[in-house]
Amino acid sequence: QETIRKEAQREKDAQRETLIKAMKERKILEEDKKKKLEEWKNLMKKEENKFMDEIASISFARRRRSNED
């Protein structure tokens, strides 16, 4: 009876360790996913700002040309 109880305890401990390891790996993956999303958002914001600057420059150049004519 004691042997069975010890074996069951060892199995339980092994399963707990496996679960803890899986939870840690999942947390790491979730944090990496969040980091990648933030990097993507920052890149898109930067690209949007460049695009808006380009539109403003083109608009300014057109107005300047039309005033010169």
Side-chain angles (χ1 to χ4, degrees):
Q1 179 109 16
E2 185 67 23
T3 307
I4 294 171
R5 190 185 66 74
K6 285 182 181 180
E7 183 62 34
Q9 184 65 39
R10 272 186 250 143
E11 181 66 28
K12 181 178 145 188
D13 291 343
Q15 288 178 351
R16 181 179 290 139
E17 289 298 319
T18 302
L19 176 62
I20 290 169
K21 184 177 178 182
M23 289 171 65
K24 285 180 182 179
E25 289 176 6
R26 182 176 180 179
K27 185 174 181 180
I28 289 169
L29 290 174
E30 287 175 358
E31 288 174 2
D32 187 51
K33 185 177 179 181
K34 286 180 186 177
K35 183 179 176 185
K36 296 278 187 207
L37 179 60
E38 285 302 313
E39 288 174 358
W40 181 81
K41 285 181 181 180
N42 289 337
L43 177 63
M44 289 298 107
K45 189 169 188 92
K46 187 177 178 182
E47 290 298 316
E48 181 182 6
N49 287 339
K50 285 196 309 189
F51 181 69
M52 296 304 283
D53 287 345
E54 189 175 332
I55 289 174
S57 295
I58 291 169
S59 178
F60 176 77
R62 283 184 180 167
R63 277 184 276 162
R64 192 167 155 199
R65 266 190 258 133
S66 69
N67 288 340
E68 288 176 355
D69 290 341

